[in-house]
Amino acid sequence: MWIYEKKLQYPVRVSKCDPRMAKYLIEQYGGADGELAAALRYLNQRYTLPEKVIAIVNDIGTEELAHLEMIATMIYKLTKDATPEQMKEAGLGDHYANHDKALFYHNAAGVPWTAAFIQAKGDPIADLYEDVAAEEKARATYQWLIDMTDDVDLIDSLTFLREREIVHSQRFREAIEILKADQQTKKIF
């Protein structure tokens, strides 16, 4: 279990109501390459990984939950003062009709989150390469989100998240090298 400190990993600020940008950010909330899928993927995979790399995957998985909370906060702040008409104009009319402004796990196109978004092969090297790919896809998405807004406060938080994806990718690559080196070690029974 965790000790939960009731503050975000990094401060989330937005400078204006922008439901259009919230619609795009929903991709990182409930999309295939978003934070929920990443957290669940890593926290599930850790059970079949060798002891030497479990801590790396566990730490990243729990950090992804913190990122999910940051994305949720951004979406909330971007929509909390939006009118139903603004939600509709931003392409969130269907979301508003079903959920009001409540967060719901779906991607930017409105496709609900599904467990089919996550992978667990049971082969440590295959799973870790999957994790590297997931982090690189998330990094790319954060860059595209940054490119779609002029809100400097939002850009700050998105830049933080993009940089964390780079660090996670590097850590997964380190874990792969640890396991490859271990495979080459002569075992005596």
Side-chain angles (χ1 to χ4, degrees), residues 163-175:
E163 297 306 308
R164 293 306 300 159
E165 303 302 344
I166 293 168
V167 170
H168 294 170
S169 178
Q170 291 168 341
R171 296 296 319 271
F172 284 134
R173 291 171 201 268
E174 291 169 12

Side-chain angles (χ1 to χ4, degrees), residues 98-171:
N98 284 316
H99 311 288
D100 188 53
K101 295 176 192 168
L103 286 126
F104 185 78
Y105 293 111
H106 61 77
N107 68 10
V111 177
W113 186 89
T114 172
F117 289 164
I118 62 175
Q119 294 295 321
K121 190 68 176 169
D123 178 272
I125 301 288
D127 283 344
L128 289 167
Y129 274 118
E130 170 73 28
D131 300 345
V132 169
E135 293 298 319
E136 293 299 336
K137 290 185 273 185
R139 175 201 48 78
T141 302
Y142 278 121
Q143 184 57 56
W144 299 327
L145 290 167
I146 290 166
D147 294 344
M148 294 184 344
T149 186
D150 60 357
D151 184 331
V152 295
D153 290 329
L154 187 58
I155 288 170
D156 179 59
S157 297
L158 293 172
T159 299
F160 170 81
L161 291 171
R162 182 195 62 203
E163 297 306 308
R164 293 306 300 159
E165 303 302 344
I166 293 168
V167 170
H168 294 170
S169 178
Q170 291 168 341
R171 296 296 319 271

Side-chain angles (χ1 to χ4, degrees), residues 170-182:
Q170 291 168 341
R171 296 296 319 271
F172 284 134
R173 291 171 201 268
E174 291 169 12
I176 290 167
E177 293 308 312
I178 289 168
L179 295 183
K180 283 182 176 179
D182 190 53

Side-chain angles (χ1 to χ4, degrees), residues 23-131:
K23 179 185 184 336
Y24 301 139
L25 277 171
I26 287 172
E27 187 65 34
Q28 288 299 84
Y29 192 68
D33 302 319
E35 301 295 353
L36 176 64
L40 294 178
R41 175 186 297 114
Y42 309 151
L43 293 174
N44 186 59
Q45 288 174 351
R46 69 186 169 170
Y47 291 102
T48 55
L49 290 172
E51 184 81 26
K52 292 181 177 193
V53 297
I54 290 174
I56 293 170
V57 178
N58 188 67
D59 290 351
I60 294 172
T62 56
E63 185 175 336
E64 297 294 355
L65 292 172
H67 295 176
L68 184 67
E69 189 173 17
M70 290 176 66
I71 292 294
T73 301
M74 289 177 209
I75 295 167
Y76 167 75
K77 288 183 175 188
L78 290 166
T79 60
K80 70 178 179 140
D81 296 325
T83 65
E85 187 59 36
Q86 288 173 310
M87 296 288 283
K88 192 170 135 184
E89 288 171 9
L92 288 170
D94 293 343
H95 177 92
Y96 185 80
N98 284 316
H99 311 288
D100 188 53
K101 295 176 192 168
L103 286 126
F104 185 78
Y105 293 111
H106 61 77
N107 68 10
V111 177
W113 186 89
T114 172
F117 289 164
I118 62 175
Q119 294 295 321
K121 190 68 176 169
D123 178 272
I125 301 288
D127 283 344
L128 289 167
Y129 274 118
E130 170 73 28
D131 300 345

